[in-house]
Amino acid sequence: QVQLVESGGGSAQAGGSLRMSCKMSGRAITSFCMGWFRQAPGKEREEVATIEMTGTPNYVDSVKGRFTISRDRTKNTLYLQMDSLKPEDTGTYYCATNARPTVWCPTGGVPEFGNWGPGTQVTVSS
């Protein structure tokens, strides 16, 4: 059974950086499309970045050039490096896998992902 646990969230000033980790147990991280998602207070959960089984990253426009998704096969861990943080990056960040076997990462967003971690809070102050 797949389990994901996020860590590394916290507080930062605008323009600062944070790095988050997502440790997977139960399966190899390279067996899935992996994704980072976030949910701001009062808003729906949204996709932030995904990484294909091949290792190719995908980003939503709002984080391109600022966030970097990566993985370490030896540690079975997914990462999200967040630079040039903005107050609108505030929220609870979750990692997840594609919910059904697919060759490429799903394009339908949150409903197509599963095995959600419990989340980690990120707060960016101006």
Side-chain angles (χ1 to χ4, degrees):
Q1 185 175 354
V2 172
Q3 287 191 320
L4 300 173
V5 179
E6 303 92 342
S7 62
S11 298
Q13 295 281 337
S17 298
L18 287 171
R19 187 188 192 216
M20 297 190 297
S21 301
C22 170
K23 174 71 173 177
M24 174 181 279
S25 59
R27 291 281 300 277
I29 198 168
T30 52
S31 300
F32 296 95
C33 160
M34 300 293 300
W36 283 102
F37 299 77
R38 66 186 178 193
Q39 187 166 15
K43 294 188 177 181
E44 294 187 351
R45 193 171 300 187
E46 63 177 0
E47 183 176 312
V48 174
T50 59
I51 186 165
E52 306 282 353
M53 285 188 285
T54 60
T56 301
N58 307 295
Y59 302 96
V60 296
D61 287 345
S62 60
V63 307
K64 280 181 181 176
R66 301 190 299 121
F67 290 11
T68 303
I69 187 171
S70 63
R71 66 190 183 191
D72 185 327
R73 299 181 182 189
T74 64
K75 297 181 179 179
N76 220 34
T77 299
L78 179 74
Y79 300 100
L80 186 68
Q81 176 68 40
M82 304 187 294
D83 299 318
S84 302
L85 283 163
K86 302 177 180 180
E88 51 263 44
D89 294 321
T90 294
T92 302
Y93 282 70
Y94 303 87
C95 60
T97 72
N98 51 315
R100 291 179 297 277
T102 56
V103 175
W104 303 107
C105 284
T107 58
V110 170
E112 297 195 63
F113 285 82
N115 295 314
W116 297 93
T120 185
Q121 178 67 36
V122 169
T123 303
V124 183
S125 56
S126 56

